[in-house]
Every structure is written in C-alpha cells, then in structure tokens.
Amino acid sequence: MQTELRTVSTRRDNVPSHCDTGTTCAITIQMSSPEAAGCVEKCATFFSYLLIIVTFPFSLFECFKVVQEFERAVIFRLGRLRKGGVRGPGLFFVLPCIDTYRKVDLRTVSFDVPPQEVLTRDSVTVAVDAVVYYRIKEPLNAVIRVADYSASTRLLAATTLRNVLGMRDLAQLLSDREAISHMMQTNLDVATDPWGVEVERVEIKDVRLPVQLQRAMAAEAEADREARAKIIAAEGEIKASKALREASLVMIDNPTALQLRYLQSLNTISAEKNSTIIFPFPMDFLKTFMSGAGPGPSRPAPALPI
C-alpha cells in the first residue's frame, strides 16, 4: 500500500478551500492491487500444500472433514468465501492454516420466548410467553449476513411478541390466540428472511393475568351463570304452570281423575319408606258427623304439596 501526498493550487473564487493559504491538501491512498493479493494467496496455498506433503499421512486427519445429512459447511480461505457455495452433506477437503469453516444445522430448532410484561390496548397488564420454531433455509446468508442468527432471532421474537400484543384487547388476546400466532409468524418470517432463517410456527403458551383481575372475571362469570340459571328456572315455572292448568281442566271434567291422583301421591310417598303418610280427606265428610245432616255434594279436598 502506497500513500502519496499532493498539493494542488486552487483559487478561492472557483473552488472552495478549507485552508487559509488558498491551497487544499489532498491525500490519495492507493490500495494494493488484486494481483498482489492473489500472489499472497497463491504463496500461502503453496506452503499449505507443502505442509500437507511433509506431514503426510497425518495431515489427512486435518484436511478431510465430514458433515452430516442435516448439516452444511461454509468454507473461507484467508477470510474469503470459497467458490461453490456451501459444502455437504458428506466429505469435503480443507487446507490447514488457511481454510476455516463453519457448520450450520438445517434441522428445526425451537426455543421459549421469556415471559413478557405487555400492556394491552385496553390498559391491562398481562404476562405472555410463547414458543417459536425455526430452521435455516440458506446457510450462506446465516453465516455471512448476521453474526449470531440464533440470538438475533430470539431477541426479535421477544420484541415482536410485545409489539403484536400491544395492538390487541384483553378479550382478543384470550380468544384469538391462533390469529395472534399467525401474525407473529408472518412478521418474524419477513424480518429474518435476509438472514436465511425461516420461521415455521409460533404458539402462545400461557397468558397470566393479575390476581385482582382474575377475581373480578370470576365474579362476573359467576353472576352471569346465576342470571342464566334464574332465567331457565322461570321458563320452567311457566311451562309447569301451563301443564298444571291443562291437568286441572281434565280433572274438572272427570272427578275420578282426582282420586287417581291421590292414589298416585300415596304410592310415591310409600315408596320412600316414610313413617308418616298424609292422606287427603274430603272436608264434607267431616261436616256430616259434626252437623248430623246428610252428606251434601262432595268437594275435592284442598291440594297438598307433593
């Protein structure tokens, strides 16, 4: 690399100057030519091959590497990416001292997003955690474009979780988990695509509410259930009253039906093995003994609760 200092005379009225003397100082830095860099690389490669020959056959243990079916290797020679892209699966060759490589796992990886304290749109503080599944689809971008794709994806997932939940109400958060998960997956996939990372799935694991809010929601649900129970009981009373009205009309037309109802009530009471049995008795029959007069028209006894 050569550095050349040149002084160029200029006029103030034509060219702006930063010097008080009317001259500007320009420093030109000439980088080393690609031919020189290629020569250095060729020399290093030659000495590397020479080292392999001298230490043969022990050098073969350092030259041949193996990657599994689910892995890929990205090879750098003197800091530059080698031609041909990624290597694998199987056996590949590296030169000692000048070649370095990084393995990338292509299998699906899952991680838990730490619980995030989120303020929803209706000003309710909740703690939400999730699980994210992702895999590497472009090993070259995962190595070159990001320093640590795993840590970057984890931090981005936590930030995306807070941003997405902050735009939802508490009711939507509790009922639309699938839509929230899909929205998080889409945002993460778009953000991590330049890194060669594909987000396959996002799931909301748990939503923890404050204790006071849980009690308030439980009281509201209990009141709602009691109201529905009262409405159902009132509807049942209406149907029962209609049925009793129809039964009373039948008994008026046929007095024998009332006696049969009495016998059915006695049968029901005796089936429970009670020591006391209440038998309905006509009041007109007692008036006959009390007044000594003849029996008048019989009237049904007052109905007893069964």
Side-chain angles (χ1 to χ4, degrees):
M1 181 176 63
Q2 300 177 354
T3 303
E4 180 183 356
L5 179 63
R6 297 182 300 172
T7 303
V8 181
S9 298
T10 58
R11 295 180 59 184
R12 288 181 178 273
D13 54 352
N14 296 329
V15 180
S17 175
H18 300 284
C19 301
D20 296 336
T21 60
T23 60
T24 58
C25 299
I27 298 177
T28 304
I29 299 176
Q30 296 180 353
M31 301 299 296
S32 58
S33 61
E35 291 78 7
C39 182
V40 173
E41 183 177 353
K42 290 179 181 179
C43 292
T45 304
F46 172 75
F47 284 111
S48 181
Y49 277 112
L50 183 60
L51 179 62
I52 294 174
I53 295 173
V54 172
T55 59
F56 186 83
F58 301 102
S59 59
L60 297 180
F61 295 99
E62 294 296 329
C63 294
F64 289 100
K65 304 295 181 181
V66 178
V67 291
Q68 303 294 332
E69 181 69 29
F70 51 84
E71 294 177 335
R72 297 295 183 271
V74 180
I75 305 176
F76 298 91
R77 175 165 295 176
L78 296 177
R80 295 183 179 181
L81 181 66
R82 289 191 59 182
K83 296 181 180 179
V86 297
R87 303 293 196 276
L91 186 69
F92 64 94
F93 181 81
V94 294
L95 292 177
C97 302
I98 63 172
D99 282 353
T100 58
Y101 69 96
R102 285 187 57 182
K103 289 184 179 181
V104 179
D105 197 334
L106 302 183
R107 293 176 295 182
T108 299
V109 181
S110 63
F111 65 89
D112 293 328
V113 180
Q116 304 294 317
E117 294 288 340
V118 181
L119 184 66
T120 60
R121 191 169 58 180
D122 52 353
S123 300
V124 178
T125 303
V126 294
V128 184
D129 56 352
V131 58
V132 179
Y133 299 86
Y134 74 94
R135 69 178 184 89
I136 302 299
K137 65 176 181 179
E138 295 180 5
L140 195 60
N141 293 340
V143 174
I144 296 178
R145 294 193 174 185
V146 62
D148 189 349
Y149 61 87
S150 179
S152 301
T153 304
R154 293 172 185 268
L155 294 176
L156 184 61
T159 306
T160 304
L161 179 62
R162 290 193 297 267
N163 294 338
V164 171
L165 297 182
M167 299 184 297
R168 300 299 180 103
D169 297 335
L170 179 61
Q172 296 176 350
L173 177 59
L174 297 177
S175 59
D176 297 340
R177 290 192 180 187
E178 185 176 355
I180 295 175
S181 300
H182 181 71
M183 185 176 181
M184 280 191 58
Q185 177 186 353
T186 303
N187 294 345
L188 281 175
D189 197 17
V190 171
T192 58
D193 185 68
W195 304 341
V197 177
E198 179 183 1
V199 179
E200 295 181 340
R201 190 177 183 87
V202 177
E203 291 292 340
I204 303 296
K205 290 179 59 178
D206 189 19
V207 178
R208 289 187 290 274
L209 305 177
V211 178
Q212 296 180 353
L213 182 59
Q214 293 180 9
R215 293 175 181 174
M217 294 178 64
E220 181 182 0
E222 183 178 0
D224 191 14
R225 288 193 297 268
E226 290 180 356
R228 288 199 300 267
K230 291 180 180 179
I231 293 175
I232 294 174
E235 292 177 352
E237 291 291 339
I238 293 175
K239 294 180 181 179
S241 62
K242 291 181 179 180
L244 289 175
R245 179 176 177 276
E246 294 176 359
S248 63
L249 295 176
V250 173
M251 291 180 181
I252 290 175
D253 296 337
N254 190 2
T256 309
L258 183 60
Q259 301 297 329
L260 294 177
R261 178 60 181 166
Y262 290 161
L263 295 177
Q264 184 180 0
S265 300
L266 290 176
N267 186 24
T268 304
I269 294 174
S270 61
E272 298 178 359
K273 297 181 180 180
N274 295 326
S275 59
T276 303
I277 297 177
I278 301 176
F279 185 78
F281 196 78
M283 299 299 296
D284 295 340
F285 186 76
L286 294 177
K287 288 181 179 180
T288 303
F289 292 98
M290 293 175 61
S291 61
S298 62
R299 291 182 301 173
L304 296 176
I306 299 173

